[in-house]
Amino acid sequence: MDKTTNGYCQTLDENFKLACDLIDKTQGHDELITMLKTGNIAEKQLAALKLDTINSKDEAQTLVDNLTGQDGKVREAVSLKIADFSSDTSLLPLFEPDKNFQTFLDAVIDINGNICRNTISSLKNFKLNSDFCKIFCPELLARTLSIAAKVKDFDLKDGKYKVNKEVFKLYWYLETIYTFADQLDLTKLIQILHITKSINDYTIREKTAKILTLNFNAPELNEIRKLLKNDTNYYVRRF
């Protein structure tokens, strides 16, 4: 079917024109927040990128609400802006991270790696909140352990989408564990790393080795580190 006959190209042209108009136009702060709440994809994306401050918990929540369940362009713009705002310690309480921890855990394993990175940058700042860590860390460990238990039984040579998707999730949860390692239950962490050290995907073993560059008072982890120092893959043993 000729895509010009079903309005496809016309819609693309309209969206592009709308985006250009939004870039050129000056919007007030309240208008940008309204666009984030009720706008279409182009409006939400531009509103997030143009927003230069947040003034309330409601405005912060509007950003968080767009971090998942939206078009990828919106999610990426919002994740970038949350990372930016969360670097200001005075704004951290507005995000109520202990209330929104599930959303951040979901965003860490977004299909878009940029969103994963941006979310982890935000989490490094939320780590200053002890109440948040008490809620976030046990759930992080539980999710990681659940995925690791599945991935260890996969035939990674299969290359199926489901396999790659679960490995991707495990990769980013391990990166998050690296950020929160000093806040985690050591027994559960050891349980996870005992699994991930042997997973037949070097990126997972690489993340495991990276975590083990941190100082742990645990002989079991020292043994795993020695094992990975002799891994067949350079990117694993370099740690």
Side-chain angles (χ1 to χ4, degrees):
M1 179 185 292
D2 183 353
K3 290 181 179 178
T4 59
T5 64
N6 63 3
Y8 180 85
C9 289
Q10 182 179 359
T11 300
L12 286 179
D13 290 341
E14 289 174 348
N15 287 342
F16 181 75
K17 182 178 184 304
L18 174 60
C20 290
D21 290 343
L22 288 171
I23 291 171
D24 292 336
K25 183 181 176 183
T26 299
Q27 295 90 7
H29 180 83
D30 291 344
E31 185 178 357
L32 292 174
I33 295 297
T34 298
M35 287 166 60
L36 269 173
K37 288 182 176 180
T38 62
N40 58 29
I41 292 172
E43 288 170 336
K44 287 189 173 190
Q45 181 187 23
L46 267 295
L49 293 174
K50 282 191 169 187
L51 200 64
D52 58 9
T53 189
I54 49 172
N55 301 318
S56 66
K57 289 181 179 180
D58 178 68
E59 292 180 357
Q61 190 63 48
T62 298
L63 280 170
V64 175
D65 288 344
N66 282 284
L67 187 57
T68 59
Q70 298 291 326
D71 181 85
K73 300 183 187 68
V74 176
R75 301 196 315 274
E76 184 167 357
V78 166
S79 70
L80 183 65
K81 194 56 64 168
I82 292 175
D84 182 24
F85 289 151
S86 65
S87 65
D88 182 345
T89 55
S90 68
L91 298 179
L92 289 177
L94 298 183
F95 286 99
E96 298 186 285
D98 48 335
K99 167 187 170 183
N100 289 303
F101 76 97
Q102 295 278 8
T103 299
F104 290 115
L105 278 166
D106 290 340
V108 162
I109 53 171
D110 193 282
I111 194 171
N112 181 330
N114 290 331
I115 297 172
C116 304
R117 292 184 191 92
N118 292 338
T119 302
I120 291 174
S121 293
S122 300
L123 290 171
K124 289 178 181 177
N125 300 314
F126 295 141
K127 186 180 174 183
L128 299 171
N129 184 325
S130 60
D131 290 335
F132 168 71
C133 290
K134 289 177 184 177
I135 300 171
F136 179 85
C137 290
E139 184 65 19
L140 170 63
L141 289 172
R143 287 194 183 198
T144 307
L145 182 58
S146 176
I147 293 175
K150 287 191 290 185
V151 171
K152 74 179 179 63
D153 294 325
F154 283 158
D155 179 3
L156 298 183
K157 294 180 181 179
D158 199 335
K160 289 183 178 178
Y161 172 73
K162 179 182 178 182
V163 172
N164 294 334
K165 184 178 179 182
E166 294 304 306
V167 170
F168 184 85
K169 290 178 182 178
L170 182 56
Y171 176 95
W172 285 109
Y173 274 151
L174 288 173
E175 182 66 20
T176 309
I177 280 176
Y178 176 80
T179 299
F180 284 85
D182 60 334
Q183 303 281 337
L184 301 177
D185 179 279
L186 189 57
T187 301
K188 288 188 173 61
L189 178 60
I190 291 171
Q191 188 178 0
I192 289 168
L193 299 186
H194 263 300
I195 297 173
T196 58
K197 70 177 174 54
S198 303
I199 286 178
N200 194 27
D201 182 291
Y202 85 87
T203 65
I204 300 303
R205 302 196 309 279
E206 181 186 10
K207 287 300 175 188
T208 303
K210 180 180 178 180
I211 292 169
L212 292 172
T213 61
L214 302 171
N215 292 322
F216 296 102
N217 184 22
E220 303 98 319
L221 294 183
N222 290 333
E223 290 302 314
I224 295 175
R225 187 177 183 187
K226 289 178 184 177
L227 174 68
L228 295 178
K229 275 291 186 182
N230 295 299
D231 195 273
T232 57
N233 186 281
Y234 163 75
Y235 292 102
V236 178
R237 64 177 183 266
R238 69 189 171 124
F239 285 108

